[in-house]
Amino acid sequence: MRRFGMIKWATGAALALFVAGSANAVIAQAQAPSTPKGFNYEIRDGKRVPKGNRVTAADGSWREEVRQGQCTTVKAKSASGDYSETRKCD
């Protein structure tokens, strides 16, 4: 009878760990939603943030243009780490 109790206890413990692990996976998934490819925005802090057209060079520098209404924001970072951001409205 004692052996049956140990098997029952071990099965219950394993089931509890499985349920706890599943709950953590669901919580982690809810905290970091991902946006499908092809969408023009990404989700940061639960808000939509527009994606830009980023072009990266081989030396590590990049340039990104983001259009919002009539305004265009150009963000650029050089290979040496210099960052610049300009905004132009038509």
Side-chain angles (χ1 to χ4, degrees):
M1 192 63 154
R2 185 177 185 139
R3 184 175 185 163
F4 180 71
M6 287 296 274
I7 292 172
K8 204 174 184 184
W9 181 83
T11 304
L15 182 62
L17 288 174
F18 176 74
V19 169
S22 297
N24 285 340
V26 169
I27 290 170
Q29 187 178 19
Q31 290 175 347
S34 62
T35 307
K37 289 190 177 228
F39 277 55
N40 64 346
Y41 64 88
E42 58 186 328
I43 298 175
R44 291 187 192 162
D45 297 328
K47 298 175 187 165
R48 292 181 181 180
V49 178
K51 286 184 183 177
N53 299 335
R54 182 177 285 199
V55 179
T56 306
D59 63 355
S61 62
W62 54 266
R63 178 176 170 25
E64 179 178 19
E65 293 185 16
V66 179
R67 183 140 180 98
Q68 293 177 335
Q70 294 181 347
C71 296
T72 303
T73 304
V74 178
K75 302 174 186 177
K77 187 170 185 181
S78 68
S80 62
D82 297 329
Y83 177 79
S84 66
E85 185 172 324
T86 57
R87 186 171 173 92
K88 179 174 64 171
C89 295
D90 299 328

